[in-house]
Amino acid sequence: MDYTTKDVHMLRMSETLELELSAGQSSKPEPKRGLHPPALFQPNLPIQDPAQAQPQTQVELQRWPTQRLEESDLEIQHPNERTKPTWIQRSCTLSLFILVFCLCAVFLGMVYYIYYSPHQGNGNQEILVIPCDSPACQRASVNLSMSADPFTHPCDYFLFSCRPNRPSPDVTGPQREKSRRDLKEKRTRDRKTELLQYLRKILESNDGLASSAVQKAKVFYRTCLDTKSLDMAGVEPFLALIHKLQLGGWPVSGQWNQTDFNSTLSTLMRDYATFPFFNVYVGEDPTDTAAKRNKRYIQIDQPDFLIPIEWNNETEKSQVTREMLLPFLALCERYLELLGASPGSGMIHVGAFISLSSELAVAAAPLSHRRSKGQLYQRFTIKELQHEAPAIDWLGCLQAAFHSQPLFEDDHILLHNLPYIVQMSHIISHWMTRHELRTSGPLHTFMVLNLLHTLLLALDSRFLDTAANLSVALGDPRARQRSLHSKTNALSEPFATAPRWKRCVLETERGFDGVLAHLFREDAASGAAEELSENILSSFKSHLHELKWNDKKTLQFVMNKVQSVTPRIVRPKENTTEAELDLLYSEVSISTHSFFSNYLQLLSFLQKRHSRLLHANSDDTDICSLLQSLSVTISLLGNELIIPMGMFIPPLFHPTYPRAMNYGVMGFLLAKDLLHLFLPDIHSKSATVGALGQCVWSHYLTVTNKDSEGLLLPAAQQQEVWLQYSALQIARKAYQKSLKKHPSDTSISGFSGTRLFLMTFSQVTCDADQYHHLMPLEPSFLITTLCAKSHLCPTNLQCPKTTQRRLPHGC
């Protein structure tokens, strides 16, 4: 069949049109199936310059039509076949494909809009159709609705103070002032208190089918709260105890059979876990090789002194000041008055007690000083220790304290302050030879008052009230920590000033930690906690590379240290059964009426359990793990980064929370702990720290309408501001990383994504770590600085009060 030029031209036009459609289709990759994270969390992809793509298209359009025409000529040579032209068939197929493609695109677009539109646009209008409706989320929703929202109250939310010594700005209106007080009270519950509240809830729950060990723990806690019974008993239980045959009375009461010094000391150590002149416990030697890592030693350290002391950095000696001594003198007088001592005789015993306490206390030194002097983990045999400090019968006292295990003179022990131990021996020998004090028994009185302090919680409430008065009189919380109220653990505040319920939880946890850890394990969300920890640690490592280090060696040293550690979330031993716990606590007899006798049972049980720790195959080898799992801060143990399970409890963390909430609270706290742990002196190693810390401070001064001229933060405060701002950035990046891996997330109260992350961060409870006094501004203000970079936040925070002033850009 002959074709005209017009027919050929029309055929070429159709093929060209088909090619253009095919080229347009091939230039766009087929979208992957499934849901995609919102654009806010997508990496920036390079965009090809159109000018570079154009020549290739032109060449294809010039070459392919000719080739298509040649192929068509071959097909036209068969006139007997009555079929539709090929270009018509291909056009129909292409049209059908375009139609299907459009329908799929519309469907995926609708799914994307439904699930991910809340992450985009104005954060004030975020509404997610998949809310979290778990009981934990419902409680969190109530708390969130009662808290200030930084995006609706940008002038106020960062001004509430966690520290009483920082005055809040003047406000007007009684309702507004009440709101501030309520919020401040809510925020002062730090993560230590949150864990204690969590344990309290466990102890106060009613479970008629609970095991014997669980019931004993709950009865112990309930009798501890029964102060009415303690007050009715008065001082008689304590006086009856010290007049037992083993203790032989004491001179203050006029009944003392002048018992042997070392015999009385052995009894206190064995039966009442009381160590007046030195501390004794069991632990590993970190200097051991890996092959000996599981071996445990008796450790001997300086004691927790009753008398308040402070360290003088210039003289490098401890000292007792007059300001601290006067309230302590009043405390001792009150104690003896409550114990029935006459005013005349009481002053003689008080004077001797304070004099002996002062001599011992000034021989002590803080941990940092002893570490710098290499005085930790010094190895001696018991025989060598006896030669260094002969006033103490070391083998006899240690055999009494660890009576379930045989001890010999050649056994090794570890000392943590040899100069103190030697000086203590000299002081005791001197007081033993003072004949004028023989009848008053100052050494015996010293031991009895230490026993009184051990039993403080189980005594008439007047004793604890007296101790609390000393805390108030001392005023300085750091002095209180160094003084009488050193009876603390990883969870506690100064013991005498804590609420009664908190003291009772602490003591129950100390004695029944295995039971509480077993109950805690049932609610532990280990999977979600591990994922959060891994993402935070990964973002932390990335953040280190973003700093401008003073030299590469410092960066390499820090990175090697970080890379060498292995994170481990410490949780209670999973194979511990209720039957095993019942057997462990079978030797403890708990009364439903007498907390004093219950407390004596607890002290005896604790000492027996610590004694068994010396045995390599002891059933209590998991004790350290139990204590670590109920802690609230991370630590380093060799090359292991210990992350306690006790950190991951409501309301700070819950596996059903939206990840934005978990990362905004616990992610920030964990990142802050990592920075403090690995970068304690980062200010001197990176210029970024001081510059960014001062930038945030300048932003704060501008927003709060304060004069910023000449206000330069000290280096320590610059570092703390940088550190907490960096912790917020690390947590935010870790949250974005989690979204890339698992794009879906839930919401609370209609809030989700970045807005929920920042809202929950603004409600982070005041974290009373040892550095919080260095923070010159509220941590929640960091949101304002972060949001100065508007692309990082759902909306740019600006306080109307500062709109007339030029705000700095984000730091």
Side-chain angles (χ1 to χ4, degrees):
M1 180 181 295
D2 296 332
Y3 288 91
T4 64
T5 304
K6 181 178 180 181
D7 293 332
V8 173
H9 181 68
M10 290 180 63
L11 183 59
R12 287 182 175 178
M13 288 181 63
S14 64
E15 294 290 352
T16 302
L17 177 61
E18 176 186 351
L19 181 60
E20 289 176 346
L21 293 174
S22 300
Q25 175 185 344
S26 61
S27 65
K28 299 180 181 179
E30 183 180 355
K32 296 181 180 179
R33 299 191 179 274
L35 304 180
H36 299 283
L40 178 61
F41 304 108
Q42 289 280 19
N44 294 329
L45 299 177
I47 301 176
Q48 187 178 5
D49 189 352
Q52 299 176 359
Q54 184 66 23
Q56 181 181 0
T57 305
Q58 292 294 343
V59 171
E60 290 175 353
L61 291 177
Q62 292 175 5
R63 179 171 56 87
W64 283 97
T66 305
Q67 182 178 349
R68 288 288 189 183
L69 181 59
E70 294 173 354
E71 293 174 356
S72 299
D73 290 341
L74 295 176
E75 295 176 359
I76 295 173
Q77 293 175 3
H78 303 279
N80 295 329
E81 296 183 6
R82 297 183 178 180
T83 60
K84 293 182 180 180
T86 303
W87 68 272
I88 297 179
Q89 295 179 5
R90 290 180 177 176
S91 297
C92 294
T93 302
L94 180 61
S95 300
L96 181 60
F97 176 79
I98 292 175
L99 178 61
V100 173
F101 175 79
C102 291
L103 291 175
C104 292
V106 171
F107 175 76
L108 292 176
M110 292 177 63
V111 172
Y112 178 86
Y113 176 79
I114 292 174
Y115 283 89
Y116 293 105
S117 59
H119 291 289
Q120 301 177 2
N122 191 338
N124 290 327
Q125 298 180 1
E126 293 182 355
I127 299 177
L128 192 62
V129 296
I130 308 180
C132 176
D133 57 359
S134 70
C137 285
Q138 292 175 5
R139 291 189 293 268
S141 178
V142 173
N143 292 334
L144 201 64
S145 64
M146 297 173 61
S147 305
D149 180 3
F151 298 100
T152 56
H153 302 89
C155 299
D156 299 336
Y157 79 96
F158 54 82
L159 299 179
F160 298 103
S161 176
C162 299
R163 289 155 287 278
N165 59 342
R166 185 189 313 146
S168 298
D170 295 333
V171 293
T172 59
Q175 187 64 30
R176 187 174 183 182
E177 180 64 26
K178 181 179 182 300
S179 176
R180 290 195 171 199
R181 288 197 304 268
D182 293 344
L183 179 59
K184 180 179 177 180
E185 181 180 357
K186 175 182 179 296
R187 293 185 61 196
T188 52
R189 291 176 54 185
D190 57 24
R191 50 176 151 167
K192 297 178 182 179
T193 303
E194 297 295 356
L195 177 56
L196 292 178
Q197 287 278 19
Y198 188 79
L199 298 178
R200 178 188 185 183
K201 181 180 178 181
I202 293 177
L203 290 170
E204 294 180 352
S205 62
N206 294 322
D207 185 1
L209 301 178
S211 66
S212 174
V214 173
Q215 291 177 357
K216 288 179 180 180
K218 293 184 177 182
V219 171
F220 180 89
Y221 173 74
R222 286 198 297 268
T223 56
C224 178
L225 293 176
D226 186 9
T227 56
K228 183 178 180 180
S229 297
L230 293 176
D231 293 341
M232 290 179 62
V235 299
E236 292 305 320
F238 181 75
L239 291 177
L241 176 66
I242 62 176
H243 284 99
K244 289 175 61 175
L245 180 62
Q246 296 93 331
L247 297 179
W250 70 324
V252 175
S253 64
Q255 302 177 18
W256 179 45
N257 59 10
Q258 297 191 15
T259 53
D260 176 71
F261 166 76
N262 278 292
S263 174
T264 302
L265 179 60
S266 298
T267 300
L268 294 179
M269 294 172 62
R270 180 187 67 241
D271 297 334
Y272 307 112
T274 299
F275 307 94
F277 300 99
F278 49 86
N279 265 334
V280 177
Y281 55 94
V282 176
E284 297 177 352
D285 182 1
T287 63
D288 270 353
T289 60
K292 300 179 181 179
R293 186 61 186 277
N294 293 328
K295 182 174 177 56
R296 289 180 288 275
Y297 298 88
I298 295 175
Q299 318 251 340
I300 299 178
D301 203 346
Q302 64 189 34
D304 298 326
F305 295 99
L306 305 188
I307 189 170
I309 59 175
E310 65 179 17
W311 178 254
N312 190 319
N313 289 319
E314 295 181 359
T315 62
E316 293 190 342
K317 291 184 178 180
S318 296
Q319 62 186 18
V320 179
T321 64
R322 178 180 176 84
E323 291 75 13
M324 294 180 178
L325 193 57
L326 290 177
F328 183 67
L329 174 63
L331 171 92
C332 296
E333 291 177 342
R334 178 58 175 165
Y335 278 168
L336 293 188
E337 178 186 344
L338 292 174
L339 292 172
S342 60
S345 64
M347 282 304 300
I348 297 176
H349 297 289
V350 167
F353 173 72
I354 291 180
S355 179
L356 176 57
S357 299
S358 301
E359 289 185 39
L360 291 169
V362 296
L367 180 63
S368 57
H369 177 78
R370 287 179 282 151
R371 182 183 291 113
S372 65
K373 298 295 183 180
Q375 296 174 351
L376 303 181
Y377 301 102
Q378 291 182 289
R379 185 173 301 207
F380 289 82
T381 65
I382 297 178
K383 184 177 181 179
E384 291 171 340
L385 177 60
Q386 188 67 52
H387 177 74
E388 295 286 344
I392 305 294
D393 177 14
W394 290 104
L395 182 60
C397 288
L398 294 177
Q399 284 176 337
F402 302 96
H403 52 275
S404 64
Q405 301 299 322
L407 290 178
F408 306 97
E409 287 184 336
D410 294 332
D411 289 339
H412 284 92
I413 50 91
L414 301 178
L415 294 185
H416 296 277
N417 191 349
L418 178 61
Y420 167 80
I421 297 297
V422 172
Q423 183 65 15
M424 173 205 66
S425 177
H426 290 323
I427 293 172
I428 291 176
S429 297
H430 174 68
W431 282 78
M432 282 182 175
T433 58
R434 295 180 65 177
H435 298 286
E436 73 277 10
L437 297 176
R438 183 175 297 275
T439 57
S440 63
L443 292 173
H444 192 78
T445 297
F446 183 87
M447 291 187 284
V448 169
L449 288 180
N450 273 270
L451 176 62
L452 175 74
H453 179 252
T454 300
L455 299 173
L456 204 60
L457 187 65
L459 297 177
D460 180 349
S461 60
R462 292 175 298 176
F463 287 92
L464 262 180
D465 292 341
T466 302
N469 291 337
L470 176 64
S471 292
V472 175
L474 291 176
D476 182 6
R478 288 172 294 177
R480 293 200 301 270
Q481 293 279 5
R482 293 190 297 265
S483 61
L484 171 68
H485 317 299
S486 57
K487 186 180 182 180
T488 59
N489 62 16
L491 304 177
S492 70
E493 63 188 67
F495 192 74
T497 58
R500 180 76 188 186
W501 72 264
K502 185 178 290 189
R503 301 184 197 120
C504 292
V505 171
L506 286 169
E507 291 305 302
T508 307
E509 182 270 335
R510 192 161 72 106
F512 294 90
D513 49 9
V515 175
L516 290 179
H518 175 74
L519 297 174
F520 178 80
R521 189 190 68 217
E522 297 177 355
D523 296 334
S526 57
E530 287 177 351
E531 180 182 356
L532 181 141
S533 301
E534 291 173 359
N535 287 337
I536 290 294
L537 186 59
S538 175
S539 296
F540 167 70
K541 293 176 181 178
S542 300
H543 195 78
L544 295 179
H545 288 286
E546 298 175 5
L547 293 177
K548 294 181 180 179
W549 295 83
N550 294 342
D551 57 80
K552 293 183 178 180
K553 291 184 179 180
T554 303
L555 170 61
Q556 191 63 40
F557 173 79
V558 174
M559 289 304 303
N560 289 341
K561 182 179 179 181
V562 174
Q563 297 289 357
S564 65
V565 300
T566 302
R568 179 167 69 93
I569 293 185
V570 180
R571 58 179 60 85
K573 200 166 73 173
E574 296 184 0
N575 59 356
T576 303
T577 64
E578 291 186 350
E580 291 174 329
L581 289 172
D582 289 345
L583 179 62
L584 176 63
Y585 289 93
S586 60
E587 58 188 286
V588 180
S589 178
I590 299 298
S591 168
T592 58
H593 304 290
S594 175
F595 180 64
F596 187 85
S597 64
N598 290 344
Y599 202 65
L600 294 181
Q601 286 274 320
L602 173 73
L603 295 175
S604 177
F605 170 74
L606 284 175
Q607 192 54 38
K608 290 178 182 177
R609 194 172 70 170
H610 290 163
S611 176
R612 290 194 294 266
L613 281 176
L614 283 176
H615 197 281
N617 298 323
S618 170
D619 293 335
D620 290 341
T621 53
D622 200 40
I623 289 178
C624 294
S625 178
L626 291 174
L627 295 175
Q628 291 169 346
S629 67
L630 294 177
S631 181
V632 292
T633 54
I634 64 175
S635 60
L636 277 177
L637 182 61
N639 286 331
E640 283 189 329
L641 177 64
I642 304 300
I643 305 176
M645 203 66 221
M647 297 177 64
F648 302 95
I649 47 97
L652 304 179
F653 179 92
H654 197 272
T656 65
Y657 283 167
R659 275 172 294 153
M661 186 172 181
N662 281 334
Y663 279 85
V665 178
M666 187 47 59
F668 166 76
L669 295 176
L670 181 56
K672 188 175 71 165
D673 286 350
L674 286 170
L675 290 164
H676 276 306
L677 185 64
F678 288 100
L679 305 175
D681 54 350
I682 184 61
H683 189 279
S684 62
K685 298 177 180 178
S686 172
T688 307
V689 176
L692 190 143
Q694 191 61 37
C695 176
V696 174
W697 177 243
S698 299
H699 196 145
Y700 175 79
L701 296 176
T702 301
V703 170
T704 54
N705 293 314
K706 296 180 180 179
D707 188 4
S708 60
E709 293 184 3
L711 292 179
L712 182 65
L713 282 179
Q717 291 186 327
Q718 288 180 357
Q719 175 169 309
E720 188 62 23
V721 172
W722 169 85
L723 187 143
Q724 297 208 24
Y725 188 54
S726 297
L728 177 60
Q729 293 176 311
I730 290 171
R732 182 182 61 84
K733 293 177 182 177
Y735 170 60
Q736 292 179 347
K737 181 178 180 179
S738 72
L739 281 179
K740 290 180 179 178
K741 188 174 181 180
H742 305 289
S744 62
D745 200 2
T746 55
S747 71
I748 288 183
S749 300
F751 301 109
S752 61
T754 302
R755 178 166 185 178
L756 181 59
F757 172 89
L758 295 175
M759 286 178 64
T760 51
F761 164 75
S762 72
Q763 304 307 323
V764 169
T765 52
C766 298
D767 194 31
D769 59 27
Q770 58 179 319
Y771 308 98
H772 75 281
H773 64 283
L774 296 175
M775 190 67 175
L777 47 87
E778 291 306 311
S780 52
F781 174 77
L782 299 174
I783 299 177
T784 301
T785 307
L786 189 72
C787 289
K789 299 179 179 180
S790 58
H791 66 282
L792 298 179
C793 300
T795 182
N796 190 18
L797 288 179
Q798 284 193 359
C799 176
K801 298 177 183 178
T802 60
T803 52
Q804 303 300 324
R805 304 187 64 177
R806 182 180 179 183
L807 294 178
H809 296 292
C811 299

